[in-house]
Amino acid sequence: MSSLVIRSLRKNYGAHEVLKGVDLEAQEGEFIALVGPSGCGKSTLLSMIAGLETVTSGEIRIGGRLVNSVPPKDRDIAMVFQSYALYPTMTARENITFGMESRGVPKAERDAAVKRVAALLQIEALLGRKPGQLSGGQRQRVAMGRALVRDPKLFLFDEPLSNLDAKLRVEMRTEIKKLHHRVGKTTIYVTHDQVEAMTLASRIAVMHRGELQQFAEPHVTYNRPTNMFVAGFMGSPSMNFIPAQLTRADDRVAVTFPLADGGSAVLPLATDVAAERIGRAVVLGVRPEHLSRYDAEIHARKPGIATLSAPVEVVEPTGAETIAVLRFGALEVVGRFEPDSAPRMGERIRLGVDMTRACLFDPETQRLI
Amino acid sequence: MTIAMVDGEGVSFRQRAGRWWPVVVLAPSLLASFVYVVVFTLWTLYISLSNSGLLPSYGFVGLENYASLWANRRWNIAYNNLFFFSAFYILGSMAVGLLLAILIDQRVKGEALWRTIFLYPLAVSFIVTGTVWSWLYNPADGVQMLVRSLGWESFSFALASDRNTAIYAVIITGIWQSSGFAMALFLAGLRSVDPDLVKAAQIDGASAFRTYRKVILPTIAPIFLAVAVVQIQFAIKTFDLVAALTRGGPGVSTTFPAIYVYDLMFQRGQIGEGAAAAMMMLAALAVVLVPYSFFVVWRRRRESRHG
Ligand SMILES: Nc1ncnc2c1ncn2[C@@H]1O[C@H](COP(=O)(O)OP(=O)(O)OP(=O)(O)O)[C@@H](O)[C@H]1O
Ligand SMILES: [Mg+2]
């Protein structure tokens, strides 16, 4: 059963179109990540689901019920804000119970609920403190407590981790994943961090300029992005886009593009998908980790490896991996290498390109071929 | 090389000058404040203990002036009026100001216009306010005459001319004058509240009233205090408003300490007793302001401790 359904949802602020017909659907217990660059309308979409913003057109259903004009308190949702929005003059406990108090839940029941949530989030010791006396991570937990205590149909998170430092963010990410596993509620999670989206979500909705670009499982979004925007947005360092020509080489369909030394690279495709486009321009999309130092022994056993050689311009070791900038003709291409097979600066490296994982895009429509 | 040296010296001279500059700039006004506040206060204190009459003189008479002051019925009325007026004026203008601010905060149309209208009385001096309102209160050509001329012949509106109610006329006028000021401060405070708090309260199912009472107003509590303190010192200094509105009358019903001081010192030539009355006004202010400044210091300490 779908617990959230959104149909051709639009939002205008005056003449400014912020959402241009979004369709989205979440199954019971699903964790949906909403990603996209700043200003693409993620928060607006979330606020509309919460009922904090009016709907210009389209419909929102929660648990099958049309909620377009239902006030936030009757939508059976809970929300965690980016700024946490904890009531500054109340203690953590009062923050958590404020909603129940507003609804007239009896005291004994409130106390039991706080106890349960505090144990779940390990914030028992913080309940007497005001937000000003809590660290960022602790505030984050209290804000989650306020949402969890509601036991709603739908959880809404608006970039809940973006105010935390890097280490804490990774910890809280794991925590949220565990929590979702335990509580099992449908969750819509806004983030502009694609790693958060990849690690947490059961499906990722990528948005750009008020439009939904792709809505699919993380591995699909990552491996088969529907267009160049999604391909470039997901993954870091991002996918390399190499303008190329589709040709035929030794009975195979291949892409060819010029190299720095004046010659040109010819990379046969793993499958002959785009045979009808031979002779036309395409964009080859290759993720940095699909480039490697060519090793005849290893690569002989793997199908679909094409080779070419390119000069190495910059090498950036990060410890676990080494990022190298390579030159393909006029283009800079980023590769991601194992530290022990990493190229050296100035070296001319022979590369293996995993063509089974490469994507082809139409340069005009920018869509995946 | 030479240039570099000159440059280096220039910087260090500037740094040295920079350290002293604030002190130099502030010196004249610090000196003036010191003379006007501390020296004159001490001088007034001394005069209040002397046998000064029409002119200051320095015969020490102890608390004699204070005794004769407190023996005077008119002074007792004035001092009581001060507290009565202050309480109602401060609470009234804060209540009206807060109500206006909350109404304007509902994103009304023409907000700037409303703000200007309500803030406008503050731009008018107390003298003008007092004069205009004295016309309104005047039975012969004010509100009473207007309503009677509309046909309600028996209508009576004599707030300012009845000795039992005249003080309310002063209070109402004071509230009219300064609730706009309170509104401006409250509105600024309401606007500074994180809108996410309101959204969170909405999701929590709190009514608008409960959201204001439990979430928004508590977060702007410091503004209440600031408004109150500013109003208190307005209230204690009330002179021109009363002087223009009722001249302390009818009878002595709206006499205020400031008027009384003025009378003693400049009309009746009793500088010693006038100074004693002025010291009592200072005491009234100190009762409020000293605890407030302690509170402010204490709160700052506590905040800096919690970071
Ligand atoms: N109240 C408003 N009036 C007019 N325009 C608005 C309003 N709120 C948002 N917008 C516009 O809507 C667009 C989307 O805003 P939104 O806050 O949803 O972006 P976002 O995807 O959440 O971005 P971020 O990642 O920076 O939080 C922006 O261009 C913004 O300027
Ligand atoms: Mg946002």
Side-chain angles (χ1 to χ4, degrees), chain A residues 44-264:
Chain A
T44 307
L45 177 56
L46 204 68
S47 298
M48 287 167 82
I49 297 173
L52 300 168
E53 291 282 353
T54 55
V55 173
T56 304
S57 73
E59 50 178 60
I60 302 174
R61 287 175 188 276
I62 297 175
R65 179 171 68 128
L66 184 68
V67 294
N68 278 24
S69 49
V70 174
K73 67 180 168 69
D74 300 326
R75 291 195 180 194
D76 209 1
I77 50 150
M79 184 157 172
V80 177
F81 294 83
Q82 178 172 2
S83 61
Y84 311 140
L86 294 175
Y87 310 122
T89 55
M90 299 184 201
T91 61
R93 174 189 299 276
E94 288 163 341
N95 264 283
I96 293 172
T97 57
F98 183 74
M100 287 188 287
E101 240 174 276
S102 303
R103 278 158 225 274
V105 175
K107 176 139 187 4
E109 210 172 304
R110 294 202 304 256
D111 288 346
V114 171
K115 212 164 171 191
R116 171 177 62 83
V117 166
L120 192 64
L121 293 165
Q122 294 156 9
I123 51 172
E124 290 102 330
L126 310 176
L127 288 176
R129 294 205 217 158
K130 293 195 174 165
Q133 303 163 331
L134 297 173
S135 72
Q138 292 170 333
R139 270 180 231 177
Q140 165 65 46
R141 278 170 197 271
V142 174
M144 301 242 295
R146 186 170 64 178
L148 280 169
V149 80
R150 290 279 322 273
D151 196 23
K153 276 211 189 70
L154 195 59
F155 275 116
L156 306 174
F157 289 81
D158 193 353
E159 308 200 22
L161 304 185
S162 63
N163 286 338
L164 302 180
D165 64 47
K167 190 160 174 286
L168 201 53
R169 197 177 321 171
V170 174
E171 278 173 32
M172 285 307 291
R173 196 170 73 198
T174 315
E175 199 97 333
I176 289 180
K177 183 146 194 167
K178 279 195 224 152
L179 211 57
H180 177 254
H181 192 71
R182 213 169 327 157
V183 180
K185 291 279 164 151
T186 317
T187 303
I188 313 292
Y189 186 100
V190 167
T191 172
H192 59 237
D193 180 342
Q194 36 92 19
V195 180
E196 256 170 48
M198 291 292 296
T199 49
L200 291 173
S202 55
R203 279 193 289 174
I204 299 178
V206 185
M207 289 180 59
H208 183 44
R209 299 219 180 109
E211 283 175 283
L212 194 63
Q213 305 289 319
Q214 184 165 16
F215 182 39
E217 287 77 28
H219 68 273
V220 176
T221 313
Y222 191 77
N223 294 319
R224 303 299 296 162
T226 50
N227 59 33
M228 286 172 69
F229 173 80
V230 176
F233 189 79
M234 301 301 294
S236 169
S238 44
M239 182 184 269
N240 298 295
F241 293 118
I242 306 163
Q245 202 78 27
L246 213 56
T247 57
R248 187 168 287 279
D250 310 334
D251 251 21
R252 307 272 307 273
V253 181
V255 286
T256 174
F257 51 89
L259 287 178
D261 55 10
S264 57

Side-chain angles (χ1 to χ4, degrees), chain B residues 89 92-93 96 100 117-126 128-130 132-133 136-137 169-181 241:
Chain B
Y89 162 80
S93 56
V96 174
L100 291 177
I117 290 177
F118 293 131
L119 206 47
Y120 199 74
L122 195 67
V124 179
S125 76
F126 270 126
V128 176
T129 304
V132 171
W133 279 79
L136 292 178
Y137 288 131
V170 180
I171 290 171
I172 290 172
T173 312
I175 290 174
W176 177 84
Q177 167 103 16
S178 64
S179 52
F181 164 77
L241 179 64

Side-chain angles (χ1 to χ4, degrees), chain B residues 131-144:
Chain B
T131 310
V132 171
W133 279 79
S134 75
W135 295 336
L136 292 178
Y137 288 131
N138 188 327
D141 46 27
V143 174
Q144 178 170 320

